[in-house]
Amino acid sequence: MNFLTNEKLTIVGAAGMIGSNMAQTALMMRLTPNVCFYDPYAPALEGVAEELRHCGFEGVNITFTSDVREALEGAAYVVSSGGAARKAGMTREDLLKGNAEIAAEFGKNIKAYCPDVKHIVVVFNPADITGLITLVYSGVEPSRVSTLAALDSTRLVSELAKYFKIPSGEIQNARTYGGHGEQMAVFESTATVNGKQLKELVDNGIIPAADWEAIKARVVQGGKNIIELRGRSSFQSPAYLSIEMIAAAMGGKPFRWPAGVYVNDSRFKHIMMAMETTIGKDGVKYVEVEGTPEESRELEKSYEHLCKLRDEVIQMGVLPPIADWRRFNPYIDECTCNNK
């Protein structure tokens, strides 16, 4: 039936808005006929499964369960939105403690029930930290865990397309790196607009400096804006992009955007952050990000912010001290950079 794979895909948090949209997207993209939905909230989970069965997708076997062991056993691919959602007035960091604890449990369940999983995508915020916690406790290789970071780059594309009143396809290589939060580094040196370098447009005043700063601010506050407009946090865009990531890991089309990846090299240590990545059957890999001196400073600031969040989680006792991480995951010190 032209599926990418026949292996099991488990969607964690499938009763929620992101999770249910991930479920529908995975079925529409025909990733696998073997899809399992998991959520502890059983009535809503059954409702999602029933509605998607009513869509009449051909050749698929939709299963659902509120038993985490049943959900994860035999899973080759797992994508999780199973944390608390961001509400009006909240930052992604406001979700830290509760979602950090959920991530720790998620990682331990991966280790217990599907240690041979081929790829995990972590979506729930703050995704850089929840992804890192998942990696530590899951015991899998760093290349098998990635986090959703693409939304910031797609928001940059959107803002530039609106500013120039052109189709988004005419914006190429728009990129943000570092944290998926208000300390992200928005790059201008990578992007082109109608074939022209974005940096040159800014430097030459085609985009006045004040306008460029306003564009960057709207990118940083893109999630907040969705909450103000819709009364709830984004769900369609993170659902679609996370399933694109899983599809790439299954051997489908290359993922077009940066992803969150475990970084431990000469510049950044023991952190999950958005880098320039490739995702494929052999996992997620990154290359070092190069930018202008100013962009490099912004990336360093974003990294430092992530380190503070990581250290806060360690102080909470949710994560062990970095020196003890290898007791939980023997792969944790491996560098995943292609250049190393």
Side-chain angles (χ1 to χ4, degrees):
M1 297 290 292
N2 298 319
F3 293 101
L4 281 178
T5 181
N6 289 319
E7 294 178 293
K8 182 178 178 179
L9 165 65
T10 296
I11 295 175
V12 175
M17 292 302 296
I18 295 177
S20 60
N21 273 261
M22 289 194 302
Q24 182 175 19
T25 302
L27 293 168
M28 292 176 69
M29 291 175 63
R30 300 189 68 76
L31 301 191
T32 175
N34 188 5
V35 184
C36 180
F37 307 152
Y38 167 76
D39 200 290
Y41 184 34
L45 178 66
E46 183 175 1
V48 170
E50 283 296 290
E51 186 166 12
L52 291 178
R53 284 171 173 166
H54 297 172
C55 291
F57 293 110
E58 291 187 76
V60 297
N61 177 34
I62 296 173
T63 60
F64 66 94
T65 180
S66 290
D67 183 321
V68 68
R69 178 172 185 166
E70 181 182 355
L72 293 178
E73 281 187 338
Y77 302 93
V78 179
V79 56
S80 177
S81 65
R86 183 178 168 195
K87 296 182 175 65
M90 296 177 70
T91 66
R92 295 176 181 89
E93 289 77 9
D94 289 336
L95 298 169
L96 184 61
K97 187 175 190 300
N99 280 356
E101 292 172 344
I102 290 171
E105 182 180 8
F106 176 53
K108 292 171 184 177
N109 285 333
I110 291 287
K111 175 176 278 189
Y113 304 129
C114 58
D116 297 323
V117 63
K118 293 183 177 180
H119 203 84
I120 305 162
V121 173
V122 178
V123 180
F124 57 102
N125 281 316
D128 311 287
I129 302 303
T130 56
L132 179 64
I133 295 167
T134 298
L135 171 63
V136 170
Y137 285 113
S138 67
V140 305
E141 295 94 332
S143 62
R144 289 199 268 162
V145 180
S146 58
T147 66
L148 179 65
L151 268 178
D152 304 316
S153 294
T154 60
R155 286 167 177 162
L156 178 56
V157 170
S158 175
E159 290 301 328
L160 288 170
K162 287 187 292 184
Y163 183 84
F164 285 102
K165 298 179 173 61
I166 59 176
S168 60
E170 295 180 20
I171 312 294
Q172 297 294 317
N173 297 317
R175 292 291 190 260
T176 70
Y177 298 113
H180 176 51
E182 295 186 4
Q183 299 295 323
M184 71 182 75
V186 182
F187 275 47
E188 65 184 50
S189 62
T190 59
T192 61
V193 179
N194 268 334
K196 298 177 182 178
Q197 294 293 323
L198 173 61
K199 187 178 187 308
E200 292 181 6
L201 297 177
V202 175
D203 290 346
N204 295 332
I206 306 301
I207 304 177
D211 287 3
W212 173 234
E213 290 303 315
I215 287 170
K216 289 195 291 184
R218 289 195 295 272
V219 171
V220 170
Q221 298 295 337
K224 179 182 178 182
N225 186 48
I226 293 293
I227 293 172
E228 291 174 350
L229 290 170
R230 302 189 72 174
R232 64 181 312 138
S233 60
S234 301
F235 59 91
Q236 290 167 305
S237 48
Y240 179 76
L241 290 166
S242 59
I243 294 302
E244 273 205 331
M245 293 170 70
I246 283 290
M250 291 175 171
K253 292 191 302 183
F255 189 62
R256 303 166 291 157
W257 309 101
V261 62
Y262 178 69
V263 180
N264 185 35
D265 57 30
S266 59
R267 186 178 180 191
F268 305 115
K269 301 290 187 183
H270 303 296
I271 204 70
M272 186 81 72
M273 59 192 287
M275 300 289 276
E276 193 62 33
T277 54
T278 58
I279 300 176
K281 286 187 174 181
D282 57 349
V284 59
K285 298 178 181 178
Y286 75 93
V287 295
E288 291 182 356
V289 171
E290 296 182 1
T292 65
E294 182 180 356
E295 289 169 341
S296 294
R297 287 192 292 272
E298 289 303 310
L299 186 58
E300 291 282 351
K301 289 180 183 177
S302 186
Y303 163 68
E304 291 168 3
H305 176 70
L306 290 174
C307 289
K308 289 178 182 177
L309 293 179
R310 177 200 63 200
D311 295 346
E312 185 176 343
V313 173
I314 291 172
Q315 291 170 4
M316 292 175 187
V318 179
L319 262 181
I322 294 172
D324 293 337
W325 285 5
R326 282 182 61 84
R327 290 197 300 111
F328 298 89
N329 189 331
Y331 303 104
I332 203 66
D333 286 338
E334 289 186 359
C335 176
T336 52
C337 179
N338 283 343
N339 294 334
K340 298 296 179 182

